[in-house]
């Protein structure tokens, strides 16, 4: 006679066990999904997340390192021009808002053409690295230093009046003048630096329209005057 309902169920169960022994997934008639065990799914998710999260963290660290690397000048290790400009705008905005003093020190290596012609570009690059190290040594933790041009560096001195910036230049100038650059073939190459200082003081209400470009132009003008007059350091002050 026809099989009973109980025999059909037992047959279906036997077929399922045979299927499992042969390596095929047991089909759940309710969800029609292989091995639909919520606990197993959560374990698989957890395993996947443990693998994925470290990879995401590594990717974030790589992106962060690339962003930081893009802010620096590869030769001197100081900020590049784009990065130092961003800091200049931020510090000037803060100084104007708080009516606080701010000074710029634009430092330039003298006789670049003659040094490069007589000793080669690599020697001048070594001078740039030496001066950058001195600048970084003398700056305060909240000062900003960057390479502004081929032979010029910019030092941003928040809270410093013009005379304080001049004193910073004098320390830098003394250090590089006394030390000089040791040449690979022997001997010491003596060189000098000049600077232009532009400063704004606490009386900011009279110069509220001052912007970063104007402050840089003032530092460049002071530098040009220093080179022309042989004084090594020119000084422009507004509201100081």
């Amino acid at each position: 006679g026809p099989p009973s309902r109980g025999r059909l169920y037992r047959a279906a169960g036997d077929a399922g066990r045979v299927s499992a022994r042969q390596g095929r997934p047991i089909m759940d008639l309710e969800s029609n999904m292989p091995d639909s065990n919520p606990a197993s799914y959560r374990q698989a998710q957890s395993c996947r997340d443990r693998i994925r999260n470290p990879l995401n963290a590594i990717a974030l660290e790589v992106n962060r390192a690339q962003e930081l690397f893009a802010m620096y000048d590869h030769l001197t290790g100081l900020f590049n021009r784009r990065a130092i400009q961003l800091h200049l705008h931020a510090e000037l905005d803060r100084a104007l808002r708080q009516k606080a003093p701010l000074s710029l020190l634009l430092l330039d290596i003298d006789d670049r053409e003659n040094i490069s012609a007589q000793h080669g570009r690599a020697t001048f690059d070594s001078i740039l690295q030496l001066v950058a190290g001195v600048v970084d040594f003398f700056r305060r933790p909240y000062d900003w230093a960057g390479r502004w041009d081929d032979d010029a560096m910019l030092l941003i001195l928040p809270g410093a009046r013009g005379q304080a910036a001049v004193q910073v230049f004098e320390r830098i100038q003394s250090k590089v003048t006394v030390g000089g650059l040791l040449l690979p073939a022997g001997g010491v190459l003596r060189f000098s630096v000049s600077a232009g200082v532009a400063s704004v003081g606490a009386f900011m209400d009279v110069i509220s329209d001052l912007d970063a470009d104007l402050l840089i132009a003032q530092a460049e003008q002071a530098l040009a005057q220093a080179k022309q007059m042989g004084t090594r350091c020119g000084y422009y002050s507004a509201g100081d």
Side-chain angles (χ1 to χ4, degrees):
S4 67
R5 181 176 299 179
R7 291 169 56 191
L8 284 174
Y9 286 164
R10 285 194 298 274
D14 292 340
R17 283 188 289 275
V18 170
S19 176
R21 286 195 299 271
Q22 292 175 351
R24 293 193 298 272
I26 300 174
M27 302 301 292
D28 184 276
L29 298 180
E30 300 253 344
S31 63
N32 199 30
M33 290 293 291
D35 194 16
S36 58
N37 184 340
S40 299
Y41 178 71
R42 285 194 296 270
Q43 290 173 358
Q45 269 190 322
S46 176
C47 181
R48 180 199 63 190
D49 292 341
R50 284 196 300 272
I51 296 172
R52 179 182 294 171
N53 290 340
L55 293 178
N56 289 342
I58 292 172
L60 288 174
E61 289 298 324
V62 169
N63 290 337
R64 192 174 295 114
Q66 289 176 337
E67 291 174 358
L68 288 174
F69 186 75
M71 297 174 63
Y72 289 90
D73 175 65
H74 72 280
L75 180 64
T76 63
L78 303 178
F79 284 119
N80 57 29
R81 181 165 178 144
R82 177 178 176 275
I84 198 68
Q85 279 181 315
L86 293 175
H87 286 299
L88 173 57
H89 284 281
E91 290 295 344
L92 183 57
D93 287 345
R94 186 184 65 81
L96 292 171
R97 186 174 61 254
Q98 298 180 1
K99 298 187 182 300
L102 173 70
S103 291
L104 300 187
L105 176 61
L106 186 61
L107 191 73
D108 184 81
I109 299 171
D110 298 325
D111 300 323
R112 174 176 62 89
E113 293 83 1
N114 290 335
I115 293 174
S116 297
Q118 294 180 19
H119 301 279
R121 177 67 202 200
T123 297
F124 185 77
D125 287 346
S126 296
I127 289 176
L128 279 171
Q129 292 172 327
L130 188 154
V131 174
V134 174
V135 168
D136 191 56
F137 177 80
F138 282 114
R139 74 176 182 84
R140 300 166 301 178
Y142 47 87
D143 294 335
W144 306 99
R147 187 176 180 185
W148 185 253
D149 210 340
D150 187 46
D151 55 350
M153 301 171 195
L154 182 66
L155 189 57
I156 304 172
L157 306 167
R161 298 185 183 276
Q163 192 55 44
V166 172
Q167 291 172 357
V168 171
F169 165 74
E170 290 172 347
R171 289 194 291 270
I172 294 172
Q173 167 73 348
S174 176
K175 184 70 174 180
V176 300
T177 301
V178 171
L181 177 70
L182 295 175
L183 297 174
V188 177
L189 176 60
R190 303 293 179 183
F191 64 94
S192 61
V193 293
S194 299
V197 170
S199 177
V200 290
F203 303 103
M204 308 298 289
D205 53 327
V206 299
I207 49 171
S208 58
D209 58 342
L210 182 68
D211 61 17
D213 292 338
L214 179 57
L215 197 59
I216 286 289
Q218 292 168 350
E220 291 174 338
Q221 183 179 1
L223 173 62
Q225 291 175 350
K227 284 181 172 290
Q228 184 178 3
M229 299 176 64
T231 58
R232 298 299 182 200
C233 185
Y235 175 36
Y236 178 91
S237 174
D240 203 355

